[in-house]
């Protein structure tokens, strides 16, 4: 028998016995860019919030009662009964054409005028963020974000080793006076959530939107506009999307073919139909869509054709708009329930935002209280939130917390905020 030679140096760790302090042949082979990835302590803490008796304000979940189960069931029935095999076969990477056209019509009602060739259907907006990160970010590229910003974007951009350059925010969103200096640093792009921001609940005012578009064009910095919540407005006027203002600014509004904008726009059906469908979409100039398609092909070939057909069947006869109206009425009651409960139960030293829409509000506690520590005490009282530090890519945010108001009923909101108020009062006395 020929003896097996010793493995070459650096060929990685050996497989140890099952159950031992596992070292597999794989760890030493993890790609370098993955070395900085950690699973955050907060994520770990949040696992505890899933216990059934915990009142959780932590997730970003739509209300269970408003998931369109009947409509989805009927849509599935029609798809299965139809003679077409489209929903069961591979599809084109850009997405199911009728669904892209439906998105085009839907966006037009909100003032966004583009053609289907500008639309790529993705597996949720989260995939859009990942594809964008992979298309644009080289290690060390600077990415401007609001501070705080969406945790999933921090993960997607961080995975490509982007460096974050956060811009402070206030009740009207991004603080423009802090922006200009950062634009001069030559960032790759600015990632921004103008409507009912996650996590802050704030909305970028119209004057700031206009100024942002001017500055972004002046400094040649493209924008990635993430808009999962724009339709969920409970008060005030709808504000034009950045992608619309940019088209006006560049003088190409109204002409589908002229869409060459400085803004990439993302949205999703996760908050308006059901997150389980995993349907989102990107709007971008055609050249960008083509490149994103190449990356998407390497990722998952295309978004589930079955889910795309279901989404189209559910939404095609105007259901989406009717459902959104219902969501607005329903969630505004829950938002008000939370605002009232906060006023009743939170100590006066705590401040919070008053969102005009969306699913979240943001509370700030006095300095010296660390909300990550507070979460542990809150969990002992069976109530949960997300500590603010999770949304600060460069550190900070320890004295803030994100509270979701869409999932729990008004009665549960009242009880959860009462418990949290008790925890806060104790911490302040301490
Ligand atoms: C700002 C923002 N972007 C993207 C996403 C991801 O959404 P999706 O379910 O479409 O992947 C979320 C989900 O909460 C979000 O809040």
């Amino acid at each position: 028998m020929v003896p097996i030679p010793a493995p070459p140096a650096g060929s990685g760790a050996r497989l140890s016995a099952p159950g031992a302090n596992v070292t597999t042949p794989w760890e030493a082979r993890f790609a370098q860019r993955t070395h900085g990835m950690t699973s955050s302590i907060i994520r770990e803490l949040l696992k505890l919030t899933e216990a059934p008796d915990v009142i959780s304000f932590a997730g970003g979940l739509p209300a269970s009662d408003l998931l369109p189960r009947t409509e989805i069931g009927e849509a599935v029935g029609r798809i299965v009964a139809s003679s077409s095999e489209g929903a069961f076969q591979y599809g084109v990477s850009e997405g199911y054409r009728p669904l892209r056209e439906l998105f085009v019509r839907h966006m037009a009602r909100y003032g966004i005028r583009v053609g289907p060739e500008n639309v790529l259907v993705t597996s949720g907006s989260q995939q859009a963020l990942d594809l964008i990160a992979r298309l644009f970010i080289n290690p060390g590229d600077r990415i401007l974000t609001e501070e705080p910003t969406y945790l999933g974007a921090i993960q997607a951009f961080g995975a490509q080793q982007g460096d974050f350059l956060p811009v402070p925010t206030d009740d009207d969103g991004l603080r423009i006076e802090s922006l200009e200096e950062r634009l001069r640093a030559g960032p790759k792009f600015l990632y921004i959530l103008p409507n009912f921001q996650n996590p802050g609940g704030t909305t970028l005012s119209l004057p700031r939107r206009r100024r942002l578009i001017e500055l972004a064009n002046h400094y040649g910095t493209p924008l990635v506009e993430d808009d999962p919540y724009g339709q969920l407005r409970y008060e005030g006027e709808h504000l034009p999307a950045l992608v619309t203002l940019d088209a006006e600014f560049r003088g190409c509004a109204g002409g589908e073919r002229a869409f060459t904008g400085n803004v990439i726009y993302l949205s999703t059906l996760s908050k308006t139909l059901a997150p389980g469908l995993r349907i989102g979409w990107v709007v971008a100039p055609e050249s960008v869509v083509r490149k994103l398609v190449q990356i998407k092909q390497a990722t998952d070939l295309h978004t589930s054709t079955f889910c795309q057909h279901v989404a189209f069947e559910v939404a095609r006869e105007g259901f989406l708009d009717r459902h959104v109206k219902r969501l607005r009425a329903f969630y505004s009651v829950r938002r008000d329930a939370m605002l009232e409960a906060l006023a009743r139960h939170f100590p006066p030293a705590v401040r919070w935002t008053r969102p005009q829409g969306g699913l979240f509000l943001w509370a700030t506690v006095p300095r010296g209280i660390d909300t990550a520590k507070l979460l542990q005490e809150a969990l002992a009282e069976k109530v949960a939130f997300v500590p603010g530090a999770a949304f600060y890519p460069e550190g900070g945010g320890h004295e803030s917390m994100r509270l979701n108001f869409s999932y729990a009923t008004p009665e549960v909101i009242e009880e959860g905020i009462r418990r949290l108020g008790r925890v806060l009062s104790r911490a302040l006395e301490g």
Side-chain angles (χ1 to χ4, degrees), residues 49-290:
T49 69
E50 286 161 16
D53 53 346
V54 169
I55 296 177
S56 180
F57 301 127
L61 275 57
S64 343
D65 292 351
L66 288 181
L67 294 172
R69 290 165 193 268
T70 311
E71 290 75 9
I72 289 179
E74 287 167 1
V76 170
R78 287 197 296 278
I79 288 166
V80 172
S82 105
S83 55
S84 158
E85 59 177 345
F88 303 97
Q89 285 291 10
Y90 288 112
V92 293
S93 304
E94 287 81 354
Y96 181 42
R97 177 90 189 187
L99 184 63
R100 288 158 68 208
E101 289 170 351
L102 186 144
F103 288 150
V104 166
R105 291 194 297 279
H106 181 69
M107 287 187 288
R109 285 197 286 284
Y110 289 86
I112 300 171
R113 290 195 179 76
V114 292
E117 65 283 356
N118 300 119
V119 177
L120 166 65
V121 180
T122 53
S123 302
S125 286
Q126 188 60 38
Q127 184 183 52
L129 290 171
D130 179 55
L131 298 179
I132 285 168
R134 287 198 275 153
L135 177 55
F136 293 111
I137 301 179
N138 290 318
D141 277 351
R142 279 175 277 197
I143 311 300
L144 295 188
T145 65
E146 294 154 290
E147 184 179 66
T149 190
Y150 170 55
L151 179 58
I154 298 177
Q155 287 178 311
F157 303 159
Q160 302 309 321
Q161 299 172 294
D163 282 348
F164 292 94
L165 213 51
V167 185
T169 56
D170 61 22
D171 285 351
D172 281 339
L174 196 75
R175 280 178 37 194
I176 297 289
E177 77 278 7
S178 312
L179 177 67
E180 203 158 349
E181 174 203 334
R182 288 167 177 79
L183 287 173
R184 280 196 214 105
K188 208 53 173 292
F189 59 80
L190 162 67
Y191 169 72
I192 181 162
L193 293 97
N195 294 317
F196 329 124
Q197 204 243 20
N198 179 3
T202 53
T203 295
L204 190 67
S205 69
L206 186 57
R208 287 193 187 181
R209 286 177 197 228
R210 292 197 194 285
R211 185 73 185 129
L212 170 61
I213 293 299
E214 274 169 27
L215 286 173
N217 276 282
H218 177 77
Y219 286 99
T221 304
L223 309 181
V224 175
E225 175 177 24
D226 192 359
D227 189 26
Y229 307 106
Q231 296 158 62
L232 300 178
R233 177 178 272 283
Y234 315 132
E235 62 185 51
E237 288 291 302
H238 173 75
L239 295 177
L242 295 173
V243 67
T244 305
L245 293 174
D246 183 65
E248 278 171 25
F249 182 83
R250 298 161 75 88
C252 56
E256 289 180 0
R257 305 257 151 240
F259 184 72
T260 55
N262 198 36
V263 180
I264 292 178
Y265 175 87
L266 321 181
S267 195
T268 175
L269 294 181
S270 286
K271 314 297 172 175
T272 51
L273 278 188
L277 287 173
R278 308 306 303 132
I279 302 284
W281 70 97
V282 185
V283 173
E286 250 186 290
S287 56
V288 176
V289 169
R290 271 200 299 275

Side-chain angles (χ1 to χ4, degrees), residues 349-351 363-367 369 371 374 398-401 424:
V350 181
R351 297 270 165 268
T364 310
V365 301
R367 274 194 187 283
I369 295 184
T371 52
L374 200 75
H398 299 288
E399 64 287 341
S400 46
M401 64 172 83
L424 273 164

